[in-house]
Amino acid sequence: MSGTSEMSLPPEWNDDERMNFMFSEFKENRDVNTTDWDSKMDFWTALIMRSCRRRGSVIVNLQDLNKTFQRKEKTPLGLSTVIQTMARCGKIQRESEFAASVDWGGFPGVWGLLLVKPLKWTFSTLLGSNRVPLEESFVVIELVKEKAAELLKVYRSSDFSSCSIISFQELCTLASNICADESTLCMALLQLQKDKLVIVSLHEGEKIVKFCQPGQDRVSPVSDVDIGIYQLQRSEKLLEERVQKLSLEADRCKEEARILLRDGKKTQALRCLRGRKRVEKRADSLFAKLETIRGILERIAQSQTDKMVMQAYQAGVSALRMSLKDVTVERAESLVDQIQELCDTQDEVNQTISSGVTAADEDMDELEKELKALLDESEPDVNTSGLPAVPKNRLGPAGEQILSPLPDVPRGHLHVTADALEEELNRLTLSETGSPQRKATSPERRAEAAQ
């Protein structure tokens, strides 16, 4: 660990009186002064967590803590008590105990692969010592869970997410930005394996890690299919590297032949070109094998997709069968009949309501006609000749003329006396006798009218 000068320290760190109390031993009996005892414990617990987060580590030991928290050449005397108290509270756990709590899925011999310093605490524990060994490592539970979540997130966002199994070395490179050292990575993997999200195994002496794939609640055991896919992916990567290397070598031979030809060394240039042809032939052969492997991997991926689709279909059929368990054709027909009956009832109600509104409208029309008749009667009659009034033209909505209706032909009996008829006859006779005079004078009148 590095010194406190590289870490953000609390304000009281510069208070000598306060720090003398913090650097002193804890009282054997906490009940003597619980306030002071708890304040000192909270101070060192928070400082230890802050130090681990700054370093990106999840493992602490007493020796490193004593070096980290030195102040004016003084070492805290109560850190051993702090470690023991944090262990009793479950905030930290011995490294080997933490590894032993992991279910290795039938591979108990693999658990030592991820432990850098296994079982260093056993003998002191068996001897019943209450002191914490200086080099004994403890895992900070809160921090190791955070690192495990970060590691899983980094894996799923990387190019390796399509590979369910990757090598431990590839994982070290992938997690270099989140895990300060290999021990931190191992503890994060142990936490993930404890959560059933990864499995660490051995294949031909190489440590491999299988991750839980998206959509799965837990990782499945490493199968022969997984190993076969892993070997194909390793072969694909190896062939890609070789093809790339041969391509660079062919380009180098071509450039060298060009330089020799420029210098007039035709024979050597031809030799370089022959070498380039051989390299390209080998590259083509390897590339053909690479394409074959890629085709196999694509078919495997397609088969896995088909399997997932079939499982989804099966789940859908089961769910549909359960949802239609109480549904029958007879019930559906009954419901449709009930709906039709209700719709008919609603139509009748609507028709009844509409007819009531229409009657009201008709009454309103009659009232308007009666009102118009009253208005016509109230108008003064200017026709004194006894003749029917001349019909007046009215304009329609489109501007066309609408002729007023002619008066009705009288249908009653005429009350005319004989004397009245005789008087009318005499008047007609007199008018015929005076007609020539009117005719003679007519031209004169016309002349006067023309002047």
Side-chain angles (χ1 to χ4, degrees):
M1 287 187 181
S2 56
T4 55
S5 59
E6 302 176 6
M7 181 178 59
S8 177
L9 296 170
E12 57 263 39
W13 189 263
N14 296 323
D15 188 344
D16 292 339
E17 183 177 355
R18 180 65 174 169
M19 286 299 102
N20 288 335
F21 167 71
M22 291 297 176
F23 274 59
S24 63
E25 281 276 11
F26 281 85
K27 300 292 184 181
E28 293 184 3
N29 189 356
R30 174 180 173 273
D31 297 334
V32 173
N33 192 335
T34 57
T35 303
D36 290 347
W37 203 94
D38 291 342
S39 66
K40 185 187 294 187
M41 181 61 64
D42 294 341
F43 173 84
W44 287 115
T45 300
L47 204 56
I48 290 172
M49 297 290 288
R50 188 183 305 175
S51 173
C52 290
R53 278 199 170 90
R54 181 190 59 82
R55 295 184 297 108
S57 177
V58 298
I59 298 176
V60 296
N61 61 63
L62 186 57
Q63 184 176 11
D64 291 339
L65 290 177
N66 287 332
K67 293 179 180 178
T68 299
F69 299 125
Q70 279 188 353
R71 180 180 182 274
K72 296 183 178 181
E73 300 181 357
K74 291 183 180 181
T75 301
L77 301 178
L79 289 181
S80 178
T81 304
V82 174
I83 294 295
Q84 293 175 356
T85 303
M86 292 178 69
R88 284 195 300 268
C89 295
K91 295 181 179 179
I92 62 175
Q93 191 175 11
R94 288 184 173 92
E95 182 181 9
S96 50
E97 288 179 346
F98 180 76
S101 65
V102 177
D103 181 12
W104 292 95
F107 298 95
V110 181
W111 71 278
L113 296 174
L114 297 179
L115 295 181
V116 180
K117 301 175 182 178
L119 297 178
K120 284 201 171 184
W121 59 273
T122 305
F123 296 105
S124 62
T125 303
L126 292 175
L127 293 175
S129 174
N130 291 328
R131 299 188 62 84
V132 179
L134 292 176
E135 296 183 358
E136 185 174 359
S137 296
F138 292 83
V139 179
V140 184
I141 303 301
E142 179 183 346
L143 298 183
V144 77
K145 290 182 178 180
E146 293 177 1
K147 288 296 180 183
E150 290 179 11
L151 180 61
L152 185 62
K153 182 178 179 181
V154 167
Y155 160 75
R156 288 180 174 175
S157 61
S158 68
D159 296 336
F160 293 99
S161 59
S162 59
C163 307
S164 60
I165 297 179
I166 64 174
S167 66
F168 183 76
Q169 295 301 322
E170 290 173 337
L171 187 59
C172 288
T173 304
L174 182 64
S176 59
N177 293 330
I178 61 173
C179 296
D181 48 35
E182 186 175 330
S183 298
T184 302
L185 174 60
C186 291
M187 293 302 105
L189 284 175
L190 286 174
Q191 180 63 42
L192 289 174
Q193 179 139 345
K194 190 174 183 179
D195 297 336
K196 310 295 184 183
L197 295 178
V198 302
I199 287 181
V200 181
S201 183
L202 277 176
H203 173 66
E204 297 180 356
E206 180 186 20
K207 286 186 287 187
I208 58 175
V209 182
K210 180 179 180 180
F211 281 85
C212 176
Q213 296 302 302
Q216 298 179 350
D217 296 333
R218 55 190 298 170
V219 64
S220 59
V222 179
S223 63
D224 293 338
V225 175
D226 295 327
I227 296 297
I229 295 175
Y230 173 72
Q231 290 176 337
L232 285 173
Q233 290 171 342
R234 298 287 292 176
S235 299
E236 179 188 18
K237 185 176 180 180
L238 181 61
L239 287 175
E240 286 177 350
E241 293 176 354
R242 290 185 177 178
V243 169
Q244 183 67 22
K245 185 177 180 181
L246 290 175
S247 178
L248 293 176
E249 185 177 352
D251 293 339
R252 182 183 58 81
C253 291
K254 181 179 179 180
E255 186 64 26
E256 185 177 352
R258 183 182 290 108
I259 294 174
L260 291 173
L261 186 61
R262 190 182 301 119
D263 296 339
K265 301 178 181 179
K266 184 177 180 179
T267 303
Q268 296 180 7
L270 289 174
R271 189 181 300 112
C272 289
L273 290 178
R274 292 192 191 97
R276 174 173 172 269
K277 292 294 183 181
R278 289 194 299 269
V279 170
E280 288 179 346
K281 187 176 181 181
R282 289 169 55 193
D284 292 341
S285 177
L286 292 179
F287 188 77
K289 296 176 182 178
L290 177 61
E291 287 298 311
T292 302
I293 292 177
R294 286 175 177 173
I296 295 173
L297 288 174
E298 288 178 0
R299 288 181 177 273
I300 293 174
Q302 183 64 36
S303 66
Q304 292 176 343
T305 303
D306 294 341
K307 181 180 178 181
M308 181 180 64
V309 172
M310 291 297 296
Q311 291 175 350
Y313 284 170
Q314 185 63 39
V317 169
S318 301
L320 185 60
R321 183 179 292 111
M322 291 296 297
S323 63
L324 294 177
K325 182 178 180 180
D326 299 329
V327 178
T328 60
V329 177
E330 292 77 8
R331 291 189 62 186
E333 292 177 350
S334 175
L335 290 174
V336 171
D337 293 339
Q338 294 178 24
I339 293 173
Q340 185 62 44
E341 183 179 353
L342 292 174
C343 290
D344 294 340
T345 303
Q346 185 182 16
D347 292 340
E348 293 177 0
V349 172
N350 291 335
Q351 185 176 1
T352 302
I353 295 174
S354 301
S355 61
V357 174
T358 304
D361 293 341
E362 292 177 354
D363 293 342
M364 183 61 67
D365 293 339
E366 293 178 359
L367 291 175
E368 289 181 355
K369 290 180 180 179
E370 185 177 355
L371 180 62
K372 184 177 180 180
L374 292 175
L375 291 174
D376 293 341
E377 292 177 358
S378 63
E379 291 180 356
D381 188 6
V382 296
N383 184 11
T384 58
S385 63
L387 298 176
V390 178
K392 298 179 181 180
N393 295 336
R394 292 180 299 172
L395 296 180
E400 71 278 8
Q401 289 186 350
I402 300 176
L403 296 177
S404 299
L406 296 174
D408 296 334
V409 177
R411 300 178 182 272
H413 296 284
L414 297 176
H415 299 282
V416 182
T417 62
D419 295 337
L421 291 175
E422 180 137 3
E423 183 180 354
E424 181 67 19
L425 180 62
N426 293 330
R427 189 167 53 252
L428 292 174
T429 303
L430 292 176
S431 61
E432 290 177 357
T433 304
S435 59
Q437 183 179 359
R438 289 194 297 272
K439 292 180 181 177
T441 58
S442 296
E444 296 175 358
R445 291 180 180 177
R446 285 198 295 269
E448 291 176 359
Q451 293 176 358

